Amino acid sequence: MTEPAGRRPLIAGNWKMNGLKREALALADALLAGAGGAGGRGELLVCPPATLLALVGERLKGSAIHLGAQDCHPKPSGAHTGDIAAPMLADLGCRFVIVGHSERRADHGESDALVKAKAEAARAARLIPILCVGETLAVRDRGDALAVVAAQLAASLPAGADGETLVVAYEPVWAIGTGRTPTTADIGAMHQALRAELKRHMGTEAERTRILYGGSVKGSNAAEILAVPGVDGALVGGASLKADEFLAIAQASR
């Protein structure tokens, strides 16, 4: 099967606020041992917490598994205690950074404008932002999911983005960590709507931009989700902390 417009699937693991040094190295080693036999077409990416980036990055160095971060500040440096700038992440060997994750938007009150600024900061540092958008259960239940998420994407898109320097991730907020997933028809409809919104802003580059699905993806449902037209990979939460589960998802990407 040929990827549309050359879009190679991306399987990204978001470790969130989990892992100490010993656990992280054990997980990295297990992924390294199994990645060669995963057999999928997709690229593999892990996004550990900031405390583990250097350690995991050193372990993955020279492998086919990419390193990414979970957030960045919109400024390249300055008096911002506790924050991490995109150039610092690039300096550690990161290639990607997640911006606008629903947990950041909810827990830290991040607006679309802030997410856009972070995505632009990532691109300026030659990182690829994984721009997250998604709806709450209340929005879904009132029938506004497609319109709300498309508007969220439009307001969060970094200026000048193209298919090589942007990844979009659709994460239904109500499905993250709950074990619930939308139907494949719902997933397909949302990815189609997001692609249409990208075309409005990016023209032909929209066809080269990967759109991932994120929301309780696991080994048992990955093949069905990844087979949905327009789904170019997965942003994986809890299942990315288990090497066998994450590798099973990678296997399903072929």
Short mmCIF file of all heavy atoms in Angstrom, two decimals, residues 4 7 13 25 27 53 66 70 92 95 105 129 141 151-153 171 174 176 188 193 196-197 211 228-231:
data_model
loop_
_atom_site.label_atom_id
_atom_site.label_comp_id
_atom_site.label_asym_id
_atom_site.label_seq_id
_atom_site.Cartn_x
_atom_site.Cartn_y
_atom_site.Cartn_z
N PRO A 4 -0.69 8.05 0.87
CA PRO A 4 -1.15 9.19 0.09
C PRO A 4 -0.12 10.32 0.12
O PRO A 4 0.37 10.69 1.19
CB PRO A 4 -2.45 9.60 0.79
CG PRO A 4 -2.89 8.37 1.52
CD PRO A 4 -1.64 7.67 1.92
N ARG A 7 2.85 10.31 2.46
CA ARG A 7 2.75 10.47 3.91
C ARG A 7 3.10 9.15 4.60
O ARG A 7 2.30 8.23 4.63
CB ARG A 7 1.35 10.94 4.31
CG ARG A 7 0.95 12.28 3.72
CD ARG A 7 -0.29 12.85 4.40
NE ARG A 7 -1.41 11.98 4.44
CZ ARG A 7 -2.44 12.01 3.57
NH1 ARG A 7 -2.42 12.86 2.56
NH2 ARG A 7 -3.45 11.19 3.69
N GLY A 13 4.89 8.00 20.69
CA GLY A 13 4.58 7.65 22.07
C GLY A 13 4.75 8.83 23.00
O GLY A 13 5.85 9.39 23.09
N LEU A 25 15.22 3.69 30.73
CA LEU A 25 16.25 2.97 29.98
C LEU A 25 15.78 1.57 29.61
O LEU A 25 16.07 1.08 28.51
CB LEU A 25 17.54 2.92 30.80
CG LEU A 25 18.29 4.24 30.92
CD1 LEU A 25 19.51 4.08 31.82
CD2 LEU A 25 18.70 4.76 29.54
N LEU A 27 12.70 0.63 29.08
CA LEU A 27 11.73 0.78 28.00
C LEU A 27 12.42 1.09 26.68
O LEU A 27 12.11 0.51 25.64
CB LEU A 27 10.72 1.87 28.36
CG LEU A 27 9.64 2.20 27.32
CD1 LEU A 27 8.88 0.94 26.91
CD2 LEU A 27 8.68 3.24 27.89
N LEU A 53 14.86 13.27 28.77
CA LEU A 53 15.18 13.48 27.36
C LEU A 53 16.63 13.18 27.03
O LEU A 53 16.94 12.49 26.05
CB LEU A 53 14.84 14.92 26.94
CG LEU A 53 13.36 15.21 26.70
CD1 LEU A 53 13.14 16.70 26.49
CD2 LEU A 53 12.85 14.43 25.49
N HIS A 66 12.95 8.10 16.72
CA HIS A 66 13.15 9.53 16.92
C HIS A 66 12.86 9.93 18.37
O HIS A 66 12.10 9.26 19.07
CB HIS A 66 12.23 10.33 16.00
CG HIS A 66 12.43 10.06 14.55
ND1 HIS A 66 13.64 10.20 13.92
CD2 HIS A 66 11.54 9.66 13.59
CE1 HIS A 66 13.50 9.90 12.64
NE2 HIS A 66 12.26 9.56 12.42
N GLN A 70 7.52 16.98 25.00
CA GLN A 70 6.08 17.09 25.23
C GLN A 70 5.56 18.52 25.21
O GLN A 70 4.35 18.73 25.22
CB GLN A 70 5.73 16.44 26.57
CG GLN A 70 6.03 14.97 26.63
CD GLN A 70 5.75 14.36 28.00
OE1 GLN A 70 5.04 14.94 28.82
NE2 GLN A 70 6.32 13.20 28.25
N LEU A 92 19.32 18.94 22.45
CA LEU A 92 19.35 17.61 23.06
C LEU A 92 19.17 16.50 22.04
O LEU A 92 19.27 15.32 22.38
CB LEU A 92 18.25 17.49 24.11
CG LEU A 92 18.53 18.07 25.49
CD1 LEU A 92 17.28 17.96 26.37
CD2 LEU A 92 19.69 17.35 26.16
N ARG A 95 13.71 15.84 17.58
CA ARG A 95 13.29 16.16 16.21
C ARG A 95 11.86 16.68 16.19
O ARG A 95 11.48 17.43 15.29
CB ARG A 95 13.41 14.91 15.32
CG ARG A 95 13.09 15.22 13.86
CD ARG A 95 13.27 14.01 12.98
NE ARG A 95 12.85 14.30 11.61
CZ ARG A 95 12.64 13.38 10.68
NH1 ARG A 95 12.86 12.11 10.95
NH2 ARG A 95 12.26 13.72 9.47
N ARG A 105 -3.82 22.21 27.39
CA ARG A 105 -4.89 23.19 27.18
C ARG A 105 -5.80 23.26 28.42
O ARG A 105 -6.21 24.34 28.84
CB ARG A 105 -5.71 22.82 25.94
CG ARG A 105 -4.96 23.01 24.61
CD ARG A 105 -5.85 22.60 23.45
NE ARG A 105 -5.19 22.63 22.14
CZ ARG A 105 -5.25 23.63 21.27
NH1 ARG A 105 -5.92 24.73 21.58
NH2 ARG A 105 -4.64 23.56 20.10
N PRO A 129 6.56 20.46 14.98
CA PRO A 129 5.52 20.43 16.01
C PRO A 129 4.44 19.40 15.67
O PRO A 129 4.04 19.26 14.51
CB PRO A 129 4.94 21.85 15.97
CG PRO A 129 5.23 22.35 14.58
CD PRO A 129 6.50 21.68 14.15
N ASP A 141 -21.39 15.68 22.05
CA ASP A 141 -22.80 15.34 22.28
C ASP A 141 -23.76 16.37 21.67
O ASP A 141 -24.88 16.02 21.31
CB ASP A 141 -23.06 15.19 23.77
CG ASP A 141 -22.52 13.89 24.34
OD1 ASP A 141 -22.17 12.99 23.54
OD2 ASP A 141 -22.46 13.75 25.58
N ALA A 151 -12.15 24.80 13.70
CA ALA A 151 -11.84 26.17 14.13
C ALA A 151 -10.62 26.21 15.04
O ALA A 151 -9.78 27.12 14.96
CB ALA A 151 -13.05 26.78 14.83
N GLN A 152 -10.51 25.21 15.90
CA GLN A 152 -9.34 25.12 16.79
C GLN A 152 -8.06 24.95 15.97
O GLN A 152 -7.05 25.60 16.25
CB GLN A 152 -9.53 23.93 17.73
CG GLN A 152 -8.50 23.82 18.85
CD GLN A 152 -8.75 22.59 19.71
OE1 GLN A 152 -9.04 21.50 19.20
NE2 GLN A 152 -8.67 22.77 21.02
N LEU A 153 -8.12 24.12 14.95
CA LEU A 153 -6.96 23.92 14.09
C LEU A 153 -6.59 25.23 13.38
O LEU A 153 -5.42 25.62 13.35
CB LEU A 153 -7.25 22.83 13.06
CG LEU A 153 -6.16 22.60 12.02
CD1 LEU A 153 -4.88 22.08 12.66
CD2 LEU A 153 -6.64 21.61 10.94
N GLU A 171 -7.14 14.36 18.82
CA GLU A 171 -7.35 13.59 20.04
C GLU A 171 -8.70 13.97 20.65
O GLU A 171 -8.84 15.04 21.23
CB GLU A 171 -6.22 13.84 21.04
CG GLU A 171 -5.72 15.28 21.11
CD GLU A 171 -4.84 15.54 22.32
OE1 GLU A 171 -4.22 14.59 22.80
OE2 GLU A 171 -4.83 16.68 22.78
N TRP A 174 -12.43 13.21 25.28
CA TRP A 174 -13.23 12.29 26.08
C TRP A 174 -12.76 10.83 25.94
O TRP A 174 -13.19 9.97 26.71
CB TRP A 174 -14.70 12.39 25.68
CG TRP A 174 -14.92 12.31 24.20
CD1 TRP A 174 -14.89 13.34 23.30
CD2 TRP A 174 -15.20 11.14 23.44
NE1 TRP A 174 -15.13 12.89 22.03
CE2 TRP A 174 -15.33 11.55 22.09
CE3 TRP A 174 -15.37 9.79 23.77
CZ2 TRP A 174 -15.60 10.65 21.07
CZ3 TRP A 174 -15.64 8.89 22.75
CH2 TRP A 174 -15.76 9.33 21.42
N ILE A 176 -9.33 10.02 25.75
CA ILE A 176 -7.94 9.87 26.19
C ILE A 176 -7.89 9.20 27.55
O ILE A 176 -8.42 9.71 28.54
CB ILE A 176 -7.24 11.24 26.24
CG1 ILE A 176 -7.19 11.85 24.85
CG2 ILE A 176 -5.83 11.11 26.80
CD1 ILE A 176 -6.70 13.27 24.82
N GLY A 188 -12.91 8.84 10.73
CA GLY A 188 -12.73 9.19 9.33
C GLY A 188 -13.31 10.55 8.99
O GLY A 188 -12.70 11.34 8.26
N ALA A 193 -12.45 16.28 7.74
CA ALA A 193 -12.71 17.69 8.02
C ALA A 193 -11.42 18.44 8.30
O ALA A 193 -11.25 19.60 7.87
CB ALA A 193 -13.66 17.81 9.22
N ALA A 196 -9.60 19.05 5.06
CA ALA A 196 -10.23 20.15 4.33
C ALA A 196 -9.83 21.50 4.91
O ALA A 196 -9.58 22.46 4.17
CB ALA A 196 -11.75 19.99 4.35
N GLU A 197 -9.74 21.57 6.23
CA GLU A 197 -9.33 22.82 6.87
C GLU A 197 -7.87 23.14 6.55
O GLU A 197 -7.53 24.30 6.29
CB GLU A 197 -9.54 22.73 8.39
CG GLU A 197 -9.36 24.04 9.14
CD GLU A 197 -10.40 25.08 8.76
OE1 GLU A 197 -11.53 24.71 8.38
OE2 GLU A 197 -10.08 26.29 8.82
N ILE A 211 -1.81 13.56 9.57
CA ILE A 211 -2.79 13.75 10.63
C ILE A 211 -2.88 12.44 11.41
O ILE A 211 -3.27 11.40 10.87
CB ILE A 211 -4.18 14.13 10.08
CG1 ILE A 211 -4.09 15.38 9.20
CG2 ILE A 211 -5.15 14.37 11.24
CD1 ILE A 211 -5.42 15.77 8.57
N VAL A 228 -8.29 3.38 8.75
CA VAL A 228 -9.27 4.40 8.38
C VAL A 228 -8.63 5.36 7.38
O VAL A 228 -7.54 5.88 7.63
CB VAL A 228 -9.75 5.18 9.62
CG1 VAL A 228 -10.67 6.33 9.22
CG2 VAL A 228 -10.47 4.24 10.59
N PRO A 229 -9.26 5.63 6.25
CA PRO A 229 -8.69 6.55 5.27
C PRO A 229 -8.41 7.92 5.89
O PRO A 229 -9.24 8.47 6.61
CB PRO A 229 -9.79 6.65 4.21
CG PRO A 229 -10.53 5.36 4.30
CD PRO A 229 -10.52 5.01 5.76
N GLY A 230 -7.21 8.43 5.62
CA GLY A 230 -6.83 9.74 6.14
C GLY A 230 -6.11 9.72 7.46
O GLY A 230 -5.59 10.75 7.90
N VAL A 231 -6.05 8.56 8.12
CA VAL A 231 -5.31 8.44 9.38
C VAL A 231 -3.87 8.07 9.06
O VAL A 231 -3.60 7.02 8.48
CB VAL A 231 -5.95 7.39 10.31
CG1 VAL A 231 -5.08 7.18 11.55
CG2 VAL A 231 -7.35 7.83 10.72
#
